[in-house]
Amino acid sequence: MKASKIVYKPVGVAMGALSGVLAGGLFKQIWKKLGHDEDAPDAPDATDEHRTWREVVSAAVLQGAIFAGVKAAVDRGGATATRRLTGTWPG
C-alpha cells in the first residue's frame, strides 16, 4: 500500500466528520436566511404532515447539494494536503 494512502486514511476519516459538521451548520444558516422557522432550523422531515411537498423536497435538494459540495471541497483539500506531505496523490 502506498504511503500516501496510509497517511490519507485517518485524514480522510477526520475530514469526513468535519465536512458533515460544516455542511450541517451551513445548511441551517441558509435555511434560516430563506425565511424558515427559527424554532425548527433543521430540514423538515418527509413525514411531517404540517409541511408542504414543496418545502420538504426543496429542503432535501438544498441539503443534499450543500453536503455534496462541502464534502467534495474538504476531500479535495485533504488530498491536496496529503500530496504536499508525501509527494504523491492519495488516489
Side-chain angles (χ1 to χ4, degrees), residues 2-79:
K2 287 182 177 180
S4 61
K5 283 190 177 186
I6 293 170
V7 170
Y8 187 70
K9 196 71 157 173
V11 171
V13 171
M15 298 303 269
L18 175 65
S19 68
V21 171
L22 290 172
L26 181 59
F27 172 78
K28 285 181 182 183
Q29 291 300 315
I30 292 172
W31 193 245
K32 193 179 356 176
K33 286 187 191 259
L34 290 174
H36 295 280
D37 192 2
E38 290 187 24
D39 294 334
D42 295 326
D45 193 33
T47 57
D48 185 346
E49 69 178 326
H50 302 292
R51 303 293 184 113
T52 64
W53 273 85
R54 183 178 183 180
E55 188 176 19
V56 169
V57 173
S58 63
V61 168
L62 177 63
Q63 189 175 39
I66 290 170
F67 271 80
V70 170
K71 182 179 182 333
V74 169
D75 286 349
R76 186 68 179 201

Side-chain angles (χ1 to χ4, degrees), residues 73-89:
V74 169
D75 286 349
R76 186 68 179 201
T80 302
T82 300
R83 179 172 41 185
R84 285 185 188 140
L85 289 173
T86 66
T88 58
W89 194 258

